[in-house]
């Protein structure tokens, strides 16, 4: 398990495991969308989850910061057990950054205001400090020159990099990426992936739902293949791509790696 | 494609194509006229029909309200047919003589400076709050929502302790009452409407049902009924000496009614906000109230601004209904002035109502224009100014 030098700006670890999921079951109405999921993620670990659409991979990711409710099992994030208690939920969300497929930037705020909103109102940071922090992360995603613009003026790739900076401004211990490049025009995928690779090298815990297999090979510590609401295979990337254990993994990889 | 390669038409641009300026409007004014007004037989017919209507309607109106109008005088004699003016137009002399009654109602003449001061203080507050480039708008908001209501109450109702005699509300009237009812209705209905809209979308069943019951009940009965209930039924539940003033009861009725409508308008705006905005705000750890105040409502209110102003305009005109519970609003004072025998002449009615219409139109059109400007300004931020301005600039 990789354990590179931690980013000094993240808060100190409170638990040995970043994420612990035990016996997770979830239904959408009659549809059993997550079936008996068990997964532990160590600190600093980078995990890439793939699988056909409708396999439950996004739903699983969204359970980790309680954007989705579930009916059975338990999830512990950074030592905090997620219950229905709003205090626990907010505590977890302060600690977990999320990047969405559709960016979800706040269109009525400038790039800088998007980044300072949560530090000011959730972390209670003075405005000046929050802006300094935001500029640091905007520089890191190479978009500091656009700080005063509104998101609608930016390209998709730029918006997604702002979304990454916005999440980083909360100094999260864990980052969740929900198909971060699938809504992008092809020529913008690389700039976002490069940002994510740089982030991975910094040692933050990452769970990424993505079909970018080049990225997965480059940064993943473990690959997860999901189908039909279940985890069918967890494997090291090399083994996963070269000798998948599950027949369905092999078929899936064949289809997307044509 | 196969055919193309057979014909050896390979092409390689050697120099970049020049960027040319947008060509000027073809044909100038005449071209515009042709394209916009006379482009098809149907369009030509429409243009001619409109021109005919304007030619028939506008000159008589100008004649009646301006050319043949009587501007000065102290009784009906000024507005009766005479040798010099056999077919008299509007009797503006009537409006001039009665104007102070239209503005103040029966407010004691010696105390009317208090109303003037109130109107000036209100104008300052409105400009401070609505002028987007105004300095210190935070203080402006405190002034408008905290200082102004207290100041207005002291000024208008009186506070004998500081030498302002008590003026009971049954002496208030005219434009003063219309402005008070409309302002209170607007200032109360927006925040209350927002709360009701959020409550209606709440996951807590009791909160939701209460909001639905309030909105549907108040919206489902006419304003006149709400005013009657506030005016007649409220005293039944509250002891005599605690029963609020008649005007206050009407204000409560109007505010409730406007809030129910505003709640539905705001809910429409909330429905337009994509799920992802909520998720992004939640994922950042924002609480329910912060998420709504900082992320959702600024966008929802912006989307629904035309509808909010529409509701405000409707409310402004609905204030005329308070006469039903015996309150002398502006329109009621105009009607009351008609019955003065010293001014009995055929043109008085038309003149009075034309003046009332002018007042309501100026107020409502000002609201509409202001909202339009705010919309354009907000659209410019979103980077969509081009298509917005082109569509309905």
């Amino acid at each position: 398990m990789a354990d590179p030098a931690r980013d000094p700006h993240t808060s100190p670890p409170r638990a040995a495991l970043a994420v612990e999921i035990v016996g997770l079951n979830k239904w959408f109405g009659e549809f059993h969308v997550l079936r008996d999921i068990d997964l532990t993620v160590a600190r600093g670990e980078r995990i890439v989850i793939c699988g056909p659409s409708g396999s439950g991979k996004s739903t699983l990711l969204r359970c980790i910061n309680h954007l989705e409710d579930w009916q059975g099992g338990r999830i512990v994030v950074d030592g905090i057990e997620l219950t229905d208690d709003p205090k626990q939920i907010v505590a977890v969300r302060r600690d977990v950054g999320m990047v969405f497929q559709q960016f979800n930037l706040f269109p009525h705020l400038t790039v800088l205001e998007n980044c300072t909103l949560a530090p000011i109102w959730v972390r209670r940071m003075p405005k000046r400090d929050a802006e300094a922090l935001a500029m640091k992360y905007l520089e890191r995603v190479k978009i500091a020159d656009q700080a005063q613009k509104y998101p609608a003026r930016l390209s998709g790739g730029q918006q997604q990099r702002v979304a990454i900076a916005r999440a980083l401004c909360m100094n999260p211990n864990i980052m969740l990426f929900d198909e971060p490049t699938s809504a992008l025009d092809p020529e913008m995928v690389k700039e976002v992936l490069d940002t994510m690779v740089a982030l991975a090298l910094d040692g933050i815990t990452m769970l990424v739902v993505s079909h970018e297999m080049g990225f997965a090979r480059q940064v993943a510590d473990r690959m997860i293949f999901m189908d039909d609401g279940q985890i069918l295979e967890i494997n090291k990337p090399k083994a996963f791509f070269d000798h998948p254990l599950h027949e369905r993994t092999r078929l899936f990889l064949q289809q997307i790696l044509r | 494609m196969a055919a193309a390669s057979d014909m050896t038409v390979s092409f390689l641009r050697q120099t970049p194509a020049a960027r040319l300026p947008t060509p000027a409007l073809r044909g100038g004014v005449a071209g515009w006229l042709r394209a916009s007004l006379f482009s098809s037989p149907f369009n030509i017919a429409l243009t001619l029909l409109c021109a005919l209507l304007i030619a028939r309607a506008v000159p008589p109106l100008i004649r009646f309200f301006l050319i043949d109008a009587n501007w000065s005088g102290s009784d009906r004699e000024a507005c009766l047919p005479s040798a010099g003016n056999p077919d008299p137009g509007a009797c503006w002399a009537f409006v001039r003589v009665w104007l102070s009654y239209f503005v103040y109602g029966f407010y004691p003449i010696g105390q009317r400076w208090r109303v003037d001061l109130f109107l000036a203080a209100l104008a300052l507050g409105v400009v401070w709050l609505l002028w987007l480039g105004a300095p210190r708008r935070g203080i402006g908001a405190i002034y408008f929502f905290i200082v102004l209501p207290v100041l207005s109450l002291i000024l208008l109702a009186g506070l004998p302790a500081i030498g302002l005699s008590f003026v009971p509300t049954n002496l208030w009237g005219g434009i003063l009452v219309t402005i008070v009812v409309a302002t209170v209705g607007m200032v109360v209905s927006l925040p209350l409407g927002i709360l009701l809209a959020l409550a209606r979308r709440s996951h807590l069943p009791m909160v939701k049902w209460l909001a639905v019951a309030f909105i549907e009940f108040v919206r489902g009965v006419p304003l006149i009924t709400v005013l009657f209930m506030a005016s007649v039924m409220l005293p039944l539940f509250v002891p005599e000496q605690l029963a609020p003033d008649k005007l206050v009861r009407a204000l409560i009725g109007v505010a409730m009614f406007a809030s129910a409508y505003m709640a539905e308008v705001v809910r429409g705006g909330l429905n337009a906000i994509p799920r992802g905005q909520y998720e992004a705000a939640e994922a950042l750890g924002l609480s329910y109230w912060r998420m709504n105040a900082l992320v959702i409502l600024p966008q929802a209110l912006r989307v629904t601004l035309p509808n909010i102003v529409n509701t405000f305009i409707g409310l402004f005109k609905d204030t005329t209904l308070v006469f039903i519970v015996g309150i002398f609003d502006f329109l009621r004072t105009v009607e009351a002035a008609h019955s003065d025998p010293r001014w009995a002449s055929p043109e008085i009615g038309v003149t009075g109502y034309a003046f009332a219409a002018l007042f309501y139109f100026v107020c409502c059109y000002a609201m509409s224009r202001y909202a339009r400007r705010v919309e354009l300004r907000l659209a410019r931020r979103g980077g969509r100014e081009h298509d917005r301005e082109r569509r309905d600039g």
Side-chain angles (χ1 to χ4, degrees):
Chain A
M1 214 135 300
D3 189 21
R6 294 188 53 79
D7 184 338
H9 299 287
T10 57
S11 20
R14 276 174 291 184
L17 289 176
V19 181
E20 187 181 7
I21 300 173
V22 184
L24 185 69
N25 276 286
K26 174 175 173 59
W27 288 262
F28 281 132
E30 295 288 299
F31 180 52
H32 198 167
V33 60
L34 291 178
R35 292 153 64 183
D36 217 14
I37 304 282
D38 292 298
L39 176 67
T40 55
V41 180
R43 283 199 172 281
E45 206 180 2
R46 278 105 36 170
I47 291 188
V48 174
I49 307 171
C50 60
S53 77
S55 59
K57 50 196 192 307
S58 284
T59 309
L60 173 63
L61 204 65
R62 292 154 56 86
C63 284
I64 295 173
N65 63 356
H66 207 286
L67 283 183
E68 299 281 353
D69 214 348
W70 58 88
Q71 285 79 36
R74 53 193 286 261
I75 299 181
V76 182
V77 181
D78 238 0
I80 308 165
E81 167 129 28
L82 266 175
T83 57
D84 284 337
D85 181 0
K87 278 208 191 95
Q88 307 281 76
I89 295 174
V90 169
V92 166
R93 285 175 180 165
R94 286 162 62 121
D95 212 33
V96 177
M98 184 155 192
V99 175
F100 298 86
Q101 183 178 2
Q102 299 294 343
F103 330 137
N104 294 348
L105 292 180
F106 305 133
H108 62 300
L109 301 177
T110 63
V111 164
L112 186 65
E113 289 164 342
N114 262 279
C115 293
T116 57
L117 185 79
I120 289 174
W121 291 98
V122 180
R123 288 244 188 262
R124 298 257 169 224
M125 203 179 274
K127 190 174 176 210
R128 192 165 302 174
D129 297 0
E131 282 177 352
L133 181 77
M135 287 314 291
K136 185 185 95 180
Y137 283 115
L138 286 172
E139 252 150 50
R140 189 151 149 199
V141 300
K142 301 188 176 63
I143 203 148
D145 51 331
Q146 316 276 355
Q148 299 304 331
K149 290 192 180 170
Y150 285 92
R153 296 278 190 203
L154 270 48
S155 74
Q158 290 174 321
Q159 289 192 45
Q160 193 60 300
R161 285 186 282 144
V162 172
I164 293 172
R166 178 176 73 176
L168 290 175
C169 281
M170 287 293 282
N171 285 333
N173 281 326
I174 301 164
M175 283 287 286
L176 309 175
F177 292 85
D178 187 4
E179 308 209 29
T181 57
S182 23
L184 294 174
D185 289 336
E187 76 271 23
M188 294 169 185
V189 170
K190 187 173 178 298
E191 64 186 63
V192 171
L193 289 181
D194 286 350
T195 308
M196 291 169 63
V197 170
L199 206 57
L201 295 177
D202 280 350
I204 195 169
T205 311
M206 285 168 80
L207 283 95
V208 184
V209 170
S210 177
H211 292 158
E212 294 294 338
M213 290 304 143
F215 168 80
R217 268 182 200 274
Q218 194 179 346
V219 307
D221 293 314
R222 283 192 290 168
M223 293 294 301
I224 293 182
F225 176 71
M226 281 185 76
D227 192 11
D228 212 7
Q230 313 155 75
I231 293 180
L232 291 188
E233 178 165 354
I234 303 182
N235 214 333
K236 293 278 174 194
K238 187 162 169 42
F240 184 85
F241 289 111
D242 298 346
H243 315 285
L245 296 172
H246 204 289
E247 175 64 12
R248 297 247 282 276
T249 315
R250 197 182 59 73
L251 285 172
F252 176 76
L253 288 176
Q254 252 177 20
Q255 290 195 317
I256 68 164
L257 293 177
R258 255 180 312 173
Chain B
M1 279 298 106
S5 59
D6 292 345
M7 292 192 297
T8 64
V9 283
S10 68
F11 167 78
L12 181 65
R13 186 182 280 287
Q14 300 290 344
T15 53
R19 287 177 195 273
L20 299 173
T22 315
L25 191 65
R26 203 185 305 153
V29 176
W32 179 85
L33 281 177
R34 228 179 112 166
S36 318
L37 300 179
F38 301 104
S39 61
S40 68
F42 178 66
N43 195 356
I44 292 170
L46 267 184
T47 304
L48 292 178
L49 194 68
C50 291
L52 197 69
L53 267 175
I54 291 170
R56 286 296 291 271
V58 172
L61 285 175
I62 291 177
R63 187 200 68 76
F64 184 85
F65 285 112
L66 297 176
I67 298 172
D68 288 347
N70 292 297
W71 297 88
S72 57
S74 56
D75 58 22
R76 63 194 292 267
E77 294 299 327
C79 297
L80 291 178
S82 62
N85 193 356
D87 185 15
C91 186
W92 295 118
F94 162 77
V95 172
R96 280 175 68 164
V97 168
W98 283 93
L99 188 62
S100 66
Y101 175 63
F102 294 162
V103 175
Y104 306 101
F106 296 111
Y107 210 88
I109 291 179
Q111 303 292 326
R112 286 183 177 176
W113 60 270
R114 284 155 60 173
V115 177
D116 297 337
L117 197 57
F118 157 74
L119 291 175
L122 179 68
L124 173 70
V126 168
V127 169
W128 201 347
L129 201 66
L130 298 189
W131 178 28
L132 299 172
R136 303 215 160 248
R137 295 185 70 209
I139 297 179
I142 292 171
Y143 168 75
F144 190 87
F145 291 106
I146 297 169
V147 178
L148 191 59
V150 177
L151 181 73
S152 308
L153 189 67
I154 293 173
L155 265 179
L156 294 176
L159 188 67
I162 57 167
L164 290 174
S165 60
F166 181 65
V167 180
T169 56
N170 57 9
L171 297 182
W172 304 17
I175 288 175
L176 166 65
V177 159
T178 294
I179 299 261
V180 166
V181 174
T183 311
V184 169
M186 289 176 200
V187 170
V188 172
S189 70
L190 189 57
L192 206 58
I194 289 171
L195 285 179
L196 281 168
L198 290 175
R200 190 167 186 166
R201 290 168 61 93
S202 169
H203 298 296
L204 308 171
M206 280 315 292
V207 173
K208 182 177 176 166
W209 292 336
L210 274 175
V212 170
F214 178 88
I215 292 168
E216 294 303 337
F217 178 72
V218 174
R219 221 163 44 122
V221 295
L223 176 57
I224 290 185
T225 318
V226 175
L227 284 172
F228 261 129
M229 288 199 314
S231 178
V232 179
M233 284 174 60
L234 202 63
L236 298 182
F237 301 116
V238 189
E240 184 75 38
Q241 56 276 34
L242 287 180
D245 179 85
K246 188 168 73 176
L247 180 64
V248 173
R249 278 179 261 158
L251 287 177
I252 293 172
V254 167
M256 271 172 47
F257 192 75
S259 302
Y261 273 88
M262 192 55 75
E264 288 302 278
V265 165
V266 173
R267 195 166 68 94
L270 290 173
N271 284 344
I273 306 303
R275 184 81 211 121
Q277 292 290 309
Y278 289 89
E279 289 177 350
E282 285 178 347
L284 286 170
L286 289 170
S287 67
Y288 174 82
W289 292 108
R290 294 226 175 90
M291 171 180 78
N292 276 301
L294 300 169
V295 176
I296 305 301
L297 282 171
Q299 296 183 60
L301 295 181
R302 167 177 158 181
V303 171
T304 196
L305 184 67
N307 298 325
I308 291 174
V309 173
N310 194 31
T311 308
F312 278 172
I313 288 174
L315 169 67
F316 189 77
K317 292 179 298 178
D318 280 351
T319 58
T320 51
L321 285 172
V322 296
F323 87 90
I324 204 89
V325 292
I327 292 166
F328 269 64
D329 75 309
F330 171 53
L331 190 62
R332 189 76 194 93
T333 57
V334 172
E335 283 177 338
H338 291 168
S339 57
D340 180 3
R342 281 174 301 163
W343 283 95
S345 83
E347 281 74 33
I348 293 301
V350 181
T351 308
Y353 284 121
F355 179 64
L358 185 70
F359 169 77
Y360 286 105
F361 176 77
V362 167
C363 292
C364 294
Y365 190 65
M367 284 190 246
S368 166
R369 290 315 299 170
Y370 174 76
R372 186 79 203 105
R373 275 192 41 210
V374 174
E375 262 175 70
L376 282 178
R377 187 184 144 112
L378 291 174
R380 203 161 291 142
R381 282 188 184 178
R384 297 195 302 267
E385 79 271 40
H386 290 303
D387 44 72
R388 280 281 183 95
E389 264 163 28
R390 229 178 271 154
R391 209 185 316 136
D392 51 16

